[in-house]
Amino acid sequence: MNLVAQFAVDHKVPCEQCPLRDCAIFRPLSDGEVDLLSDFKIGEFTVEGGSTIFSEGVRSDQLFTVLEGWGFRYKTLPDGRRQIINFILPGDFIGLQATLDAEMEHSVETLTAASLCTFPRQKLTEVFARSPRLAFDVTWLAAREERVLDEHLLSLGRRTARERAAYYLAHLFVRAEEVGLAVEGRVRFPFTQQHLADALGLSLVHTNKILRRLTYDRLIEWEHGLFRSPDFGALAELGGYDMEDRQERPLL
Amino acid sequence: MNLVAQFAVDHKVPCEQCPLRDCAIFRPLSDGEVDLLSDFKIGEFTVEGGSTIFSEGVRSDQLFTVLEGWGFRYKTLPDGRRQIINFILPGDFIGLQATLDAEMEHSVETLTAASLCTFPRQKLTEVFARSPRLAFDVTWLAAREERVLDEHLLSLGRRTARERAAYYLAHLFVRAEEVGLAVEGRVRFPFTQQHLADALGLSLVHTNKILRRLTYDRLIEWEHGLFRSPDFGALAELGGYDMEDRQERPLL
DNA sequence: CGTTCTATTGAATAACGTCAAGGACGGTGG
DNA sequence: CCACCGTCCTTGACGTTATTCAATAGAACG
């Protein structure tokens, strides 16, 4: 694990040129909003896979939007047990969970090389003052994240291991697809079965057995990091994954 | 279960007289903020225990602040399995999880008679426009809720049933205490073991056995609905509950 | 006092975790 | 090119945890 002590600003691409904005899923911004966001933004930087972005118990003065790469957000118990709260994909806004002056209560680590857009936490109040619309977007994102956690909580509490795995894989697949990470129905999952186990709240061994069975039942394929589902409908059905219409969402 | 089809406005107490504001845990508002909030508020109403406030799959035009009473927020699977996401206590702001025009993805039901402060969802954007500070408070509450869910997720995924129960009971006790519901170290828990089981992701039988053991080990007492812990430190320790300094929080 | 929730307990069963041992694969250095 | 390693994946055997089934006892409520 590689601790990023200081986030150097590599360069600064104007927000209006942000490649993510081309994804249909993201709400278009007005010129004024983009200007404000550009102003809010400090810069970008790139880290390699395995870098720690946030660390439990440490304060962070920055917020990030992920431009590229995968990561995950997690908490650990003193004896080392780890729970992955969720995976982080391009377009995700991270760091909001902590208050302005409080310590992070979770850690974030990258799975692949990643590039992040940086915002100073202190200026968030200024953004709220200058653009109610962007303020609303921030709130909207927080509420959306909460809905995702609700569903995950339902999984961990009440779904069987098999249903849980099916739900989560369907969920991850769709999230990746939304931001253009799917090629011919395939997505590269840059995490190991141990990561998935830690997200599902299962042991590594049991996770493996369930994945093998889902593979045998032709619900998933996951080899050499490349994932696809031969029958996504059945996978979603098994997991109780709701293929709701993906609504437009903000991008900060 | 008693479905509340329409929320009649019983009366409207000015926000500046809100009894909850006396609790030390809540951040004081400026006069201007209170005025705006009063303006935002439609009124109050009272429901009996067992009433459904929100229903999964149904749109709601209102947001609520709980003035008095207990409730819980939950999701269910088609076959009836239920997961309680969290309990709702006085001072909690509910309904934010859904977007302006989307269906609720969870239900909320009262456990006791409750009185709720009502706000029209549509006017939320106006509040954002008129008071960045209140907007920030809304966001802050959403982020805080997320942190609570993170911790609960860690519980369900990685804590043993015993640790989980200890954590959750400690958590509930402190929450109740914060809003003045504790009398001589005792809190009335208005829910059944089935509710607790559904929150912990355990079966009723197993929950009961664990509670009996916690009682035998003199970590908790819970009789006739009245809860206390003879050794809160040990309970918190077992559950890994962090007795962080309770920071001030907004009240809407 | 019946009736209806709720709590409690034991026994049988299923789900999941732990332990242990290989196997596949890619990278590295000789 | 090949031996050596480290990481990740896979599988079987076995132990533990939690669920389900079933039955009874207590409380709460008219």
Side-chain angles (χ1 to χ4, degrees):
Chain A
M1 198 191 317
N2 177 17
L3 185 66
V4 178
Q6 196 187 342
F7 300 110
V9 174
D10 292 345
H11 57 298
K12 180 169 173 171
V13 171
C15 291
E16 61 265 26
Q17 289 169 29
C18 181
L20 273 177
R21 298 212 174 273
D22 296 337
C23 291
I25 192 87
F26 296 116
R27 173 175 86 79
L29 294 186
S30 72
D31 290 348
E33 287 164 348
V34 174
D35 287 348
L36 174 53
L37 214 50
S38 265
D39 198 27
F40 183 28
K41 173 177 172 179
I42 295 176
E44 295 161 35
F45 71 96
T46 305
V47 295
E48 48 187 52
S51 305
T52 297
I53 305 294
F54 292 128
S55 202
E56 212 167 331
V58 175
R59 284 174 49 167
S60 166
D61 296 330
Q62 286 148 326
L63 301 168
F64 305 99
T65 288
V66 180
L67 290 179
E68 199 184 343
W70 287 66
F72 61 98
R73 191 158 76 80
Y74 65 100
K75 290 174 76 86
T76 52
L77 291 172
D79 65 1
R81 283 174 284 177
R82 177 176 73 171
Q83 176 66 39
I84 293 186
I85 311 288
N86 62 11
F87 285 96
I88 294 167
L89 275 76
D92 285 359
F93 185 62
I94 60 174
L96 199 64
Q97 293 82 9
T99 335
L100 280 179
D101 51 353
E103 293 175 356
M104 302 302 294
E105 293 185 13
H106 61 262
S107 308
V108 171
E109 193 176 320
T110 55
L111 285 161
T112 66
S115 78
L116 308 174
C117 231
T118 315
F119 306 96
R121 190 180 291 273
Q122 295 299 336
K123 282 179 79 175
L124 192 58
T125 48
E126 190 190 319
V127 171
F128 268 63
R130 286 175 54 190
S131 169
R133 180 62 206 259
L134 283 180
F136 198 81
D137 281 351
V138 171
T139 309
W140 194 93
L141 285 174
R144 173 174 174 274
E145 180 80 4
E146 201 180 325
R147 290 203 302 278
V148 172
L149 296 187
D150 285 355
E151 193 68 38
H152 197 174
L153 222 39
L154 173 62
S155 263
L156 290 188
R158 289 304 183 209
R159 284 199 246 254
T160 66
R162 184 176 159 88
E163 293 170 337
R164 213 183 294 175
Y167 177 86
Y168 210 74
L169 291 170
H171 166 74
L172 278 181
F173 181 82
V174 169
R175 284 187 64 198
E177 202 176 32
E178 279 177 1
V179 290
L181 256 38
V183 180
E184 295 174 14
R186 279 165 227 275
V187 172
R188 176 156 301 279
F189 279 171
F191 47 84
T192 67
Q193 293 188 359
Q194 180 68 65
H195 287 110
L196 186 60
D198 285 343
L200 298 178
L202 298 170
S203 71
L204 170 60
V205 173
H206 199 228
T207 301
N208 176 273
K209 285 172 181 170
I210 279 172
L211 288 176
R212 302 271 64 236
R213 239 194 110 212
L214 288 176
T215 305
Y216 178 81
D217 294 341
R218 302 193 186 290
L219 290 173
I220 65 167
E221 288 171 15
W222 185 15
E223 282 176 352
H224 310 291
L226 221 50
F227 176 92
R228 80 178 269 266
S229 173
D231 187 349
F232 189 84
L235 184 70
E237 165 81 22
L238 170 62
Y241 178 78
D242 185 14
M243 279 192 273
E244 71 251 13
D245 313 313
R246 292 280 133 188
Q247 50 181 156
E248 226 177 37
R249 62 184 212 238
L251 171 68
L252 295 180
Chain B
M1 199 192 320
N2 178 13
L3 184 67
V4 178
Q6 195 187 340
F7 299 111
V9 174
D10 291 345
H11 57 298
K12 180 168 174 173
V13 171
C15 291
E16 60 265 25
Q17 288 169 29
C18 181
L20 274 175
R21 299 213 173 273
D22 295 337
C23 291
I25 191 86
F26 297 115
R27 173 176 86 79
L29 294 186
S30 72
D31 290 348
E33 286 163 349
V34 175
D35 288 347
L36 174 53
L37 215 49
S38 266
D39 199 26
F40 182 30
K41 174 178 172 180
I42 294 176
E44 294 161 36
F45 71 96
T46 303
V47 295
E48 48 188 53
S51 304
T52 297
I53 307 294
F54 291 129
S55 202
E56 211 168 332
V58 175
R59 285 172 49 169
S60 166
D61 297 329
Q62 286 149 325
L63 302 167
F64 305 98
T65 289
V66 179
L67 289 179
E68 199 184 342
W70 287 66
F72 61 98
R73 192 157 75 80
Y74 66 99
K75 291 173 75 86
T76 51
L77 291 172
D79 65 2
R81 282 174 285 178
R82 176 177 74 174
Q83 176 65 39
I84 292 185
I85 310 291
N86 64 12
F87 285 95
I88 293 167
L89 275 76
D92 285 358
F93 185 60
I94 59 175
L96 200 64
Q97 293 82 8
T99 334
L100 281 179
D101 50 354
E103 292 175 357
M104 302 303 293
E105 293 184 13
H106 61 262
S107 308
V108 171
E109 194 176 319
T110 56
L111 285 161
T112 67
S115 78
L116 308 174
C117 231
T118 316
F119 307 98
R121 191 180 289 274
Q122 294 299 336
K123 281 180 80 176
L124 192 58
T125 48
E126 190 190 318
V127 172
F128 268 64
R130 286 175 54 190
S131 170
R133 180 64 206 258
L134 283 181
F136 198 81
D137 280 350
V138 172
T139 310
W140 193 94
L141 285 175
R144 173 173 174 274
E145 179 80 4
E146 202 180 324
R147 290 204 301 278
V148 172
L149 295 187
D150 285 355
E151 192 68 38
H152 197 175
L153 222 40
L154 173 62
S155 264
L156 290 189
R158 289 304 182 209
R159 285 199 245 255
T160 66
R162 185 177 159 88
E163 293 169 338
R164 213 183 294 175
Y167 176 86
Y168 210 74
L169 290 171
H171 165 75
L172 277 181
F173 181 82
V174 170
R175 284 187 64 197
E177 202 176 32
E178 278 177 1
V179 290
L181 256 36
V183 180
E184 295 175 14
R186 280 164 227 274
V187 172
R188 176 157 301 279
F189 280 172
F191 47 84
T192 67
Q193 293 189 359
Q194 180 67 67
H195 288 110
L196 185 60
D198 285 343
L200 299 177
L202 298 170
S203 70
L204 170 61
V205 173
H206 199 229
T207 300
N208 177 274
K209 286 173 180 167
I210 280 173
L211 288 175
R212 301 272 65 235
R213 240 195 109 213
L214 289 175
T215 305
Y216 178 81
D217 294 341
R218 301 193 187 289
L219 291 173
I220 65 167
E221 286 171 16
W222 184 16
E223 282 175 350
H224 310 291
L226 221 49
F227 176 92
R228 81 177 268 265
S229 173
D231 187 349
F232 189 84
L235 184 69
E237 166 82 21
L238 169 63
Y241 179 77
D242 185 15
M243 278 192 274
E244 72 251 13
D245 313 314
R246 293 280 132 187
Q247 51 181 156
E248 225 176 38
R249 62 185 212 238
L251 172 66
L252 295 180

